[in-house]
C-alpha cells in the first residue's frame, strides 16, 4: 500500500538515500542551484548499476524470447496520440491541499494509507471496504464524496495535524511544451507520460518489417515524464524517469493466458536478479485503468512499506482501436492461421528502471556489526548481485613500490575489456576494501610480493570478507562465473 511520509521518518531509507548520494550513485539534479524537485542524476556507479539492470531486462525480454523485438521511439509524439490514448482527458490524479500547512497530497494515497493502517491494526476487512468505497467514488468522478470520505475517516495532514482540507481536484500529469517557432494550440506537444504509445503507433511497422506473427511482443526502454503531485521518496516517484515496457500482441480472447504467463515470468525475473521471494508480492488492482480488463502490480517491501515496482496489465484492444479511430488508419492484423482480420489484444509489462534501481539499492544495503577483540564497529556494504554490481573487481597493489603497481596494471589491462574493473593504489588496503564494499564491488584482487614470484593474487569476497589465493590465469574464468548475467538467464529458460 502506498504511504505518504517524509523520508526522514524512516531511518533505514534515510541511510540508503545518503549512501546513494555520498558514494556516487544518485545526485539531486542541478544541486548547485538547490536542485529541482523530483529530478535526479545518476553518478558514476549509479549509471553503471542502472545500465546493468536495463541490459539484463533487455536481453531477458528480447533475446530470450524469439518473438519479442525492440524499438526506440521518440519522446515527442503527434499530440493526437494522447487524445486517442485517453491521457489528455483522464491521466489525472485527485489532489487535495491542506489549508493550514499548504501541503498537497494525493487524495487516493491518503485513503490507501488509512486502509493500510487499518490492516495493520488487524481490521483488514475495514481497510478493504475503504479502498472499495474510494474506488467507487473515483469511478463515479465523485470528488466531493472523496473529500467527505477523507474527513469521515478522520484523516489529518501529517504536517499541520488538521483536517482543514480544500476540495479535491483532478490534476493532469502530462507536461506540455511548444514545437516549432509559433506558439499556439496546434503546436502543443506533450512529453510522453509512458513509453507504451510509441509501441502502439508503430505496431504495424514493426510487425511488417520484423515479419512477426501474432503473438509477438515489442519492447522498449525510454524516458517518461509525469508532473507528479507528490514527488517524494527519492527516486521512487520522479518527474522524469525511465520505463522498460513490453507490449505483447495476442489473438482476442487469448489474453488471459498470456497475462498469467508474463506475470509469472516477470516475478521470476526479479527473483533471478537477486530479490528474495519473500520481499515480493502481487497486488491486484481494485480500480482498473480505463484501458484494462485485468491488472496486477509486482510490489516490493521497501523500507517505507509495500510498493509497486512493476505493473502487468491486460490492456485489451483499447489502444490500437483508439489509434485506428483517431488516425483513420487500419490497425488490424491478418491472421493466416484463422484466416481473419482483427485488432490484437495487448498484455503489457511495465517496470520503472529507477524504481527497480531503488529496490536493489534498498535490498543490497547491509550493515553488520563486527567485533574485533574489545572493539566493535559497523561494516556497511552493498550486497548487489555480482551481475548488476557497477564494478566487478578492484585491482589493488599492496604498496606503491617494488613493481606491484606494474603487476596490478598488467592484471587490470587483461581484464578491462571483459569486465568493469578498476585499479586503485591510494591509501591503505583496508581503506580501499571499505571503499569497494560501499559501492558493492563483489571482488577485490590484492597484488603482493608473492604475486611477483608465483603469479598468484588474493581474492577478497565482499559479502564474507573471506580471502583466497588464486592464479592470475584463473581470474577471468572466476569473474565470468560469478558476474556473468548468463547465470540469471539460465534460471529464466
Ligand atoms: P504509481 O501508482 O506508483 O503512480 P503507476 O501505476 O502510475 O505508478 P504505471 O503507469 O503502471 O505506474 O507505470 C509503470 C511503472 O513505471 C511503475 O510500476 C513504476 O515502476 C514506474 N513509474 C511510474 N511512475 C513513476 C514515477 N513518477 N517515478 C518513477 N517511476 C515511475
Amino acid at each position: 500500500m502506498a504511504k505518504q511520509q517524509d523520508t526522514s521518518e524512516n531511518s533505514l531509507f534515510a541511510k540508503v538515500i545518503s549512501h546513494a548520494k555520498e558514494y556516487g550513485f544518485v545526485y539531486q539534479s542541478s544541486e548547485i542551484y538547490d536542485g529541482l524537485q523530483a529530478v535526479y542524476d545518476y553518478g558514476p556507479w549509479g549509471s553503471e548499476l542502472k545500465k546493468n539492470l536495463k541490459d539484463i531486462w533487455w536481453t531477458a525480454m528480447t533475446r530470450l524470447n524469439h518473438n519479442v523485438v525492440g524499438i526506440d521511439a521518440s519522446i515527442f509524439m503527434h499530440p493526437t496520440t494522447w487524445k486517442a490514448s485517453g491521457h489528455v482527458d483522464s491521466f489525472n490524479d485527485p489532489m487535495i491541499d491542506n489549508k493550514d500547512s499548504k501541503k498537497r497530497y494525493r487524495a487516493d494515497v491518503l485513503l490507501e494509507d488509512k486502509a493500510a493502517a487499518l490492516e495493520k491494526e488487524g481490521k483488514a476487512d475495514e481497510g478493504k471496504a475503504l479502498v472499495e468505497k474510494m474506488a467507487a467514488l473515483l469511478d463515479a468522478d465523485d470528488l466531493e464524496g472523496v473529500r467527505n470520505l477523507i474527513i469521515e475517516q478522520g484523516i489529518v495532514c501529517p504536517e499541520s495535524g488538521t483536517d482543514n482540507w480544500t476540495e479535491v481536484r483532478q490534476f493532469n500529469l502530462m507536461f506540455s511544451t511548444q514545437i516549432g517557432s509559433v506558439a499556439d494550440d496546434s503546436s502543443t506537444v506533450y512529453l510522453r507520460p509512458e513509453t507504451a504509445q510509441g509501441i502502439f503507433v508503430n505496431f504495424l511497422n514493426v510487425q511488417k518489417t520484423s515479419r512477426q506473427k501474432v503473438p509477438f511482443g515489442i519492447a522498449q526502454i525510454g524516458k517518461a515524464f509525469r508532473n507528479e503531485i507528490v514527488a517524494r521518496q527519492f527516486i521512487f516517484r520522479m518527474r522524469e524517469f525511465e520505463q522498460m515496457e513490453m507490449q505483447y500482441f495476442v489473438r482476442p480472447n487469448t489474453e488471459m493466458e498470456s497475462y498469467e504467463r508474463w506475470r509469472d515470468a516477470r516475478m521470476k525475473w526479479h527473483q533471478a536478479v537477486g530479490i528474495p521471494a519473500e520481499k515480493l508480492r502481487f497486488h491486484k488492482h481494485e480500480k482498473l485503468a480505463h484501458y484494462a480488463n485485468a491488472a496486477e502490480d509486482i510490489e516490493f517491501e521497501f523500507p517505507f512499506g509495500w510498493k509497486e515496482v512493476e505493473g502487468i496489465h491486460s490492456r485489451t484492444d483499447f489502444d490500437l482501436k483508439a489509434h485506428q479511430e483517431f488516425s483513420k488508419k487500419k490497425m488490424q492484423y491478418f491472421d493466416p492461421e484463422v484466416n481473419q482480420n482483427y485488432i490484437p489484444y495487448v498484455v503489457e509489462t511495465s517496470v520503472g528502471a529507477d524504481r527497480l534501481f531503488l529496490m536493489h539499492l534498498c535490498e543490497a544495503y547491509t550493515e553488520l556489526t563486527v567485533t574485533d577483540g574489545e572493539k566493535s564497529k559497523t561494516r556497511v556494504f552493498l550486497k548487489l548481485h555480482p551481475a548488476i554490481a557497477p564494478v566487478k573487481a578492484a585491482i589493488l597493489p599492496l604498496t606503491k613500490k617494488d613493481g606491484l603497481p606494474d603487476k596490478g596494471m598488467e592484471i587490470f589491462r587483461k581484464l578491462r575489456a571483459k569486465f568493469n574493473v578498476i585499479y586503485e593504489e591510494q591509501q591503505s588496503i583496508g581503506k580501499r576494501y571499505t571503499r569497494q564494499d560501499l559501492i558493492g564491488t563483489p571482488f577485490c584482487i590484492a597484488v603482493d610480493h608473492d604475486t611477483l614470484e608465483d603469479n598468484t593474487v588474493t581474492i577478497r569476497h565482499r559479502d564474507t570478507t573471506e580471502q583466497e589465493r588464486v592464479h592470475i590465469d584463473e581470474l577471468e574464468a572466476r569473474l565470468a562465473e560469478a558476474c556473468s548475467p548468463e547465470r540469471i538467464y539460465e534460471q529464466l529458460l
Side-chain angles (χ1 to χ4, degrees):
M1 268 300 145
K3 263 206 181 100
Q4 283 186 344
Q5 63 182 15
D6 204 274
T7 53
S8 61
E9 282 171 33
N10 191 299
S11 66
L12 173 60
F13 192 46
K15 281 181 191 168
V16 170
I17 296 173
S18 73
H19 191 95
K21 288 184 181 164
E22 198 166 337
Y23 298 106
F25 285 87
V26 181
Y27 314 121
Q28 176 90 58
S29 154
S30 14
E31 200 178 60
I32 58 166
Y33 295 105
D34 297 331
L36 183 65
Q37 226 207 350
V39 186
Y40 291 91
D41 298 337
Y42 286 83
W45 312 130
S47 49
E48 290 284 347
L49 171 55
K50 192 176 177 195
K51 184 176 175 303
N52 292 339
L53 286 166
K54 289 196 289 184
D55 286 349
I56 291 172
W57 181 87
W58 185 262
T59 303
M61 296 309 267
T62 61
R63 277 166 51 191
L64 299 198
N65 291 289
H66 68 283
N67 64 346
V68 178
V69 292
I71 64 160
D72 183 7
S74 300
I75 286 168
F76 288 139
M77 299 181 72
H78 191 285
T80 311
T81 309
W82 306 110
K83 263 295 232 198
S85 68
H87 283 79
V88 171
D89 295 324
S90 58
F91 192 51
N92 301 318
D93 271 347
M95 64 174 195
I96 190 164
D97 293 62
N98 183 268
K99 291 184 195 163
D100 299 321
S101 67
K102 309 269 182 283
K103 286 265 172 198
R104 177 163 293 174
Y105 299 91
R106 260 175 64 176
D108 55 334
V109 176
L110 286 176
L111 287 162
E112 280 180 355
D113 275 355
K114 176 72 186 187
L118 287 168
E119 201 179 317
K120 256 195 177 156
E121 288 165 24
K123 299 176 189 162
D125 285 351
E126 257 181 69
K128 198 161 172 265
L130 177 58
V131 172
E132 277 166 11
K133 197 164 176 189
M134 172 190 82
L137 290 167
L138 286 170
D139 268 346
D141 218 11
D142 182 357
L143 299 182
E144 201 183 328
V146 174
R147 179 178 185 269
N148 292 341
L149 190 58
I150 288 174
I151 294 171
E152 244 170 57
Q153 289 292 325
I155 298 172
V156 295
C157 163
E159 197 104 338
S160 66
T162 71
D163 69 351
N164 195 6
W165 298 111
T166 61
E167 75 272 31
V168 176
R169 272 169 295 158
Q170 290 288 15
F171 180 79
N172 192 287
L173 302 182
M174 280 200 295
F175 285 103
S176 64
T177 187
Q178 304 291 324
I179 206 159
S181 56
V182 187
D184 59 25
D185 272 359
S186 63
S187 63
T188 298
V189 288
Y190 298 99
L191 272 72
R192 64 180 177 196
E194 61 175 26
T195 54
Q197 298 305 324
I199 292 180
F200 290 127
V201 299
N202 277 302
F203 156 69
L204 280 180
N205 280 340
V206 176
Q207 187 270 317
K208 282 178 190 147
T209 50
S210 63
R211 302 171 56 82
Q212 290 286 347
K213 290 198 176 86
V214 166
F216 77 98
I218 306 178
Q220 176 170 220
I221 300 180
K223 289 269 184 170
F225 303 82
R226 295 182 187 178
N227 199 1
E228 298 282 2
I229 303 170
V230 185
R232 272 182 255 167
Q233 286 162 332
F234 194 41
I235 56 170
F236 182 82
R237 195 172 296 288
M238 303 156 92
R239 295 203 165 111
E240 173 179 341
F241 57 101
E242 221 166 345
Q243 284 188 317
M244 309 198 286
E245 296 197 300
M246 194 272 310
Q247 325 294 136
Y248 197 68
F249 300 89
V250 302
R251 205 177 279 165
N253 303 320
T254 64
E255 69 274 14
M256 280 309 151
E257 202 181 294
S258 295
Y259 172 78
E260 271 155 34
R261 188 166 70 75
W262 278 110
R263 166 191 173 276
D264 294 345
R266 293 303 305 143
M267 180 61 101
K268 208 166 161 191
W269 183 86
H270 287 290
Q271 291 173 16
V273 190
I275 304 296
E278 66 274 15
K279 298 291 275 298
L280 293 164
R281 71 178 187 192
F282 286 112
H283 170 73
K284 243 193 167 99
H285 281 210
E286 296 293 337
K287 179 179 181 283
L288 289 173
H290 57 273
Y291 50 74
N293 67 358
E296 247 161 298
D297 296 334
I298 294 178
E299 292 188 336
F300 170 71
E301 191 176 18
F302 283 97
F304 45 90
W306 286 95
K307 293 257 198 169
E308 170 181 348
V309 173
E310 171 154 5
I312 322 290
H313 311 122
S314 173
R315 287 179 83 126
T316 68
D317 58 354
F318 175 87
D319 301 87
L320 290 181
K321 216 171 174 176
H323 287 306
Q324 175 166 292
E325 194 184 315
F326 279 73
S327 68
K328 310 269 184 296
K329 307 269 165 32
K330 281 243 176 318
M331 297 300 270
Q332 284 181 339
Y333 166 80
F334 176 72
D335 189 334
E337 271 179 44
V338 288
N339 210 19
Q340 249 179 30
N341 270 311
Y342 56 76
I343 296 180
Y345 271 45
V346 173
V347 171
E348 164 184 83
T349 70
S350 175
V351 58
D354 312 271
R355 234 177 244 189
L356 185 67
F357 179 104
L358 183 62
M359 167 169 81
H360 280 279
L361 209 56
C362 291
E363 182 58 27
Y365 183 87
T366 311
E367 285 184 358
L368 274 188
T369 309
V370 227
T371 39
D372 182 8
E374 298 279 281
K375 286 191 213 149
S376 76
K377 61 173 187 171
T378 308
R379 194 180 150 240
V380 176
F381 61 103
L382 294 185
K383 209 172 175 174
L384 292 165
H385 189 301
I388 61 167
V391 177
K392 309 303 180 201
I395 294 116
L396 315 171
L398 201 59
T399 69
K400 276 201 267 182
K401 312 180 292 221
D402 306 330
L404 297 188
D406 289 344
K407 193 72 189 169
M409 278 307 286
E410 189 188 309
I411 299 171
F412 170 72
R413 284 197 204 98
K414 225 170 133 175
L415 296 173
R416 68 180 167 184
K418 294 224 165 68
F419 310 97
N420 190 19
V421 288
I422 55 173
Y423 170 85
E424 266 208 338
E425 57 179 38
Q426 299 298 335
Q427 294 190 305
S428 74
I429 192 97
K431 283 203 173 119
R432 281 179 278 163
Y433 283 157
T434 303
R435 261 208 306 274
Q436 295 309 315
D437 282 349
L438 292 167
I439 64 166
T441 306
F443 305 106
C444 284
I445 298 169
V447 177
D448 56 25
H449 292 90
D450 287 345
T451 313
L452 302 178
E453 304 291 319
D454 61 6
N455 271 329
T456 63
V457 287
T458 300
I459 295 190
R460 174 188 176 271
H461 296 253
R462 174 197 67 200
D463 300 347
T464 57
T465 72
E466 267 165 26
Q467 306 197 355
E468 57 170 329
R469 202 77 192 166
V470 302
H471 197 276
I472 288 174
D473 291 346
E474 278 177 52
L475 286 174
E476 194 180 314
R478 292 291 293 269
L479 289 187
E481 173 61 29
C483 305
S484 164
E486 267 172 56
R487 303 286 158 272
I488 294 174
Y489 305 141
E490 278 162 15
Q491 293 175 58
L492 303 174
L493 291 170

